[in-house]
Amino acid sequence: MVSRVIPVDTFDLVIFGGTGDLARRKILPGLYRRFVAEQMPADARIIGAARSEFDDDGYRAFVAEALDEFLPASLRDAKAEAEFLARLSYIPIDARGTGGWKELAATVRKDVIHAFYFSVGPGLFGDLAERLHEYKIADAQSRVVVEKPFGRDLESARALNAVLAASFDETQIYRIDHYLGKETVQNLMAVRFGNVLFEPLWNSQYIDHIQITVAETVGVGGRGGYYDKSGAMRDMVQNHLMQLLCLIAMEPPSHFDPDAVRDEKLKVIRALEPIEPHQLVRGQYGPDGDKPGYREDVEDPQSRTESFIAMKTQIANWRWAGTPFYLRTGKKLKSRMSEIAIFFKRTRHSIFTENEGEHQNVLIIRLQPDEGMTLTVTIKEPGPGGMRLVDVPLDMSFAEALGPHAEDVPDAYERLIMDVIRGNQTLFMRGDEVEAAWAWTDPIIEGWQKRGDVPKPYDTGSSGPDDALMLLHRDGRRWREIRPEGS
């Protein structure tokens, strides 16, 4: 059963960087899906703005090619596509000059919701914000969406916040992290706060430890120049994994509203304990036959940037004292897999001598590729011959639960863009939250730079460096296996 689709008020959405890779792959196909789902009002408009010299028809042809490339055939409909493309227009714009701004000012309507998506590098945020106000395109009701990376350290994050704050109120700024738009991530809050079964157990008294894994099979690809300046810590841990950690660990908010949720997430970040050197492993994928390794991909034979990172951290508060959180993420690993695993403690006293102490309840929340949840429970193995215990999964995948309606579940970007139009900031990061995350991250990076640490090599298609296994082995625990795709 699929929930009712709630239309939004009419809007003008301006996509700066409207010809860029993110717009082609995610933003524009996502908007088309919302249009097909009848969530987009009849007079809503989408305006592409970039340096490319398109006219309206040229841009519509460009978007049609993107839809053809990034949408499954089952979602394509010639009539719907023609109607969607008719809503699009395009204005060539000079972010740092005067070209196109008068035309944009004449195009954006003042009597509807108007949102501005900064699908550009952070270096252009200030220029765009200043010109939107200089040409009186933006006002107190405008909304602005900004993509990561939001800074590369605390100092630069504060500077970006200051740039945006000079033109927009915090309530107008939507710092987007697409992980928070995933259906399963939001279901994490529903599982915790909507079921009496879990919340009483969601603490260090009953939870042994928690693992968060985001594994990728791809390398840095064409992002080598950017990635080598960022690494896995800045690119993934400081934002995506941090947000997942916050949703798992935060206290129940008083209400499900933006600031109440973000207040609780901020408390988690501020309660994170510092990372010691022995709690951290960094890795770098090596060559695989005739396929290049990380250093060849970034064209730097001396690079010390990590393509893999694993760490153990703890939260210094009453709920989580003594419960470790293990985080890992990396490229060129065995499979593409994102999951959260909550390992509950073993029973205090087992009345069964068979397999005593070997069984453990685990709640697995799968973010990709097969979104869903699995809870392992211990039962008696069927058959005669004594009480033999076995762990079995109670499994729910969205694809099976929704059946033919599975494709109707919105993509993360679809959901988040519609939340911008609604004015709902719950799934977006607040400025103080971003700064707190960098305040925790910066000392970790500075520490390995001062020590001159070199990332540990690991094989392409593996689970990462062997040293990462020791993070858990020292504590008598094991990582969940990163299974090969298709297994």
Side-chain angles (χ1 to χ4, degrees):
M1 180 178 179
V2 178
S3 60
R4 179 171 58 93
V5 173
I6 303 174
V8 297
D9 293 334
T10 194
F11 62 87
D12 281 354
L13 173 63
V14 180
I15 306 173
F16 292 105
T19 59
D21 185 58
L22 180 62
R24 289 179 61 251
R25 287 186 300 107
K26 293 292 185 180
I27 300 173
L28 291 160
L31 288 166
Y32 171 78
R33 282 172 54 105
R34 290 302 89 206
F35 172 76
V36 172
E38 299 182 351
Q39 195 172 8
M40 196 177 293
D43 53 351
R45 301 189 309 181
I46 301 161
I47 304 161
R51 290 176 297 179
S52 303
E53 291 294 331
F54 282 124
D55 58 13
D56 289 350
D57 288 340
Y59 188 58
R60 288 167 185 152
F62 168 85
V63 174
E65 290 180 3
L67 299 182
D68 188 54
E69 182 175 356
F70 295 106
L71 283 176
S74 59
L75 293 177
R76 304 295 299 281
D77 177 89
K79 182 175 182 292
E81 186 172 317
E83 292 176 356
F84 173 74
L85 294 174
R87 296 161 180 266
L88 271 63
S89 61
Y90 183 82
I91 297 175
I93 206 121
D94 182 357
R96 292 196 165 108
T98 59
W101 288 99
K102 288 182 179 179
E103 292 81 358
L104 185 61
T107 301
V108 174
R109 294 171 290 181
K110 298 298 182 185
D111 56 344
V112 303
I113 295 167
H114 37 286
F116 305 98
Y117 200 126
F118 289 6
S119 182
V120 296
L124 292 177
F125 288 178
D127 296 292
L128 294 176
E130 289 170 6
R131 279 156 183 75
L132 284 171
H133 281 275
E134 178 185 346
Y135 286 87
K136 296 182 172 54
I137 304 169
D139 58 28
Q141 304 305 314
S142 299
R143 292 145 200 186
V144 58
V145 186
V146 293
E147 277 282 348
K148 80 176 186 82
F150 200 84
R152 56 174 284 106
D153 52 25
L154 179 57
E155 181 181 1
S156 58
R158 282 175 172 164
L160 278 175
N161 277 338
V163 164
L164 292 173
S167 300
F168 298 98
D169 185 78
E170 180 64 33
T171 59
Q172 297 177 270
I173 303 169
Y174 293 72
R175 299 171 186 83
I176 194 168
D177 184 337
H178 73 273
Y179 261 60
L180 294 185
K182 290 180 178 293
E183 192 71 24
T184 326
V185 174
Q186 294 172 75
N187 254 314
L188 174 57
M189 288 188 280
V191 167
R192 280 198 59 188
F193 305 131
N195 295 279
V196 71
L197 174 66
F198 286 113
E199 183 56 24
L201 308 179
W202 212 264
N203 54 60
S204 60
Q205 183 177 354
Y206 295 101
I207 293 179
D208 178 76
H209 73 282
I210 293 171
Q211 299 180 17
I212 303 175
T213 298
V214 178
E216 299 177 273
T217 56
V218 298
V220 298
R223 300 171 67 225
Y226 156 76
Y227 195 92
D228 202 45
K229 295 182 176 64
S230 300
M233 186 68 168
R234 290 187 173 99
D235 187 54
M236 293 294 293
V237 175
Q238 186 273 338
N239 40 75
H240 297 331
L241 272 70
M242 180 75 74
Q243 290 298 309
L244 298 179
L245 172 63
C246 287
L247 291 178
I248 295 167
M250 72 182 190
E251 294 298 317
S254 56
H255 301 284
F256 190 64
D257 64 51
D259 277 331
V261 171
R262 296 188 294 180
D263 285 346
E264 298 303 335
K265 287 163 58 185
L266 179 61
K267 291 176 186 176
V268 173
I269 299 173
R270 289 177 172 169
L272 286 171
E273 294 186 349
I275 299 290
E276 300 296 331
H278 68 276
Q279 297 174 309
L280 176 75
V281 175
R282 297 165 63 238
Q284 198 179 80
Y285 63 84
D288 179 24
D290 59 350
K291 296 179 181 177
Y294 176 84
R295 292 181 174 182
E296 289 77 24
D297 281 344
V298 301
E299 299 179 348
D300 181 357
Q302 305 299 320
S303 175
R304 294 188 174 188
T305 301
E306 74 285 354
S307 62
F308 174 97
I309 192 164
M311 65 176 65
K312 171 186 175 181
T313 187
Q314 293 188 292
I315 300 171
N317 63 20
W318 279 90
R319 181 181 288 264
W320 295 113
T323 297
F325 288 72
Y326 300 97
L327 282 61
R328 62 176 170 171
T329 183
K331 293 188 175 296
K332 287 287 186 83
L333 297 180
K334 192 179 296 184
S335 70
R336 173 177 172 263
M337 182 186 89
S338 296
E339 69 170 32
I340 302 163
I342 294 98
F343 288 75
F344 291 89
K345 291 184 176 179
R346 292 177 171 85
T347 54
R348 290 190 177 95
H349 170 70
S350 176
I351 64 172
F352 309 107
T353 55
E354 182 75 18
N355 305 123
E356 184 173 359
E358 294 181 10
H359 301 279
Q360 190 171 23
N361 301 124
V362 185
L363 176 63
I364 310 298
I365 301 164
R366 301 185 302 275
L367 309 180
Q368 63 183 22
D370 177 24
E371 292 190 346
M373 297 185 187
T374 300
L375 175 64
T376 61
V377 296
T378 303
I379 66 168
K380 175 190 176 294
E381 185 177 12
M387 183 66 73
R388 295 185 302 275
L389 304 182
V390 62
D391 293 335
V392 297
L394 301 177
D395 196 17
M396 188 282 289
S397 77
F398 285 153
E400 293 177 1
L402 297 177
H405 299 291
E407 286 188 341
D408 296 337
V409 175
D411 175 79
Y413 274 95
E414 297 173 48
R415 179 183 304 278
L416 294 172
I417 292 172
M418 290 299 104
D419 278 355
V420 172
I421 303 303
R422 293 190 184 96
N424 184 350
Q425 290 185 305
T426 304
L427 299 175
F428 298 83
M429 292 178 287
R430 204 167 58 192
D432 54 0
E433 191 180 344
V434 172
E435 292 182 15
W438 280 120
W440 179 77
T441 304
D442 279 358
I444 302 172
I445 297 173
E446 291 167 5
W448 77 55
Q449 289 176 340
K450 288 180 180 177
R451 294 190 301 271
D453 291 353
V454 178
K456 306 291 183 182
Y458 64 92
D459 294 335
T460 293
S462 70
S463 297
D466 290 341
D467 291 51
L469 303 177
M470 294 306 299
L471 276 179
L472 277 77
H473 284 181
R474 285 194 297 263
D475 297 338
R477 302 182 176 102
R478 297 177 62 184
W479 286 109
R480 268 180 52 81
E481 182 184 359
I482 299 178
R483 297 171 302 281
E485 292 194 70
S487 64

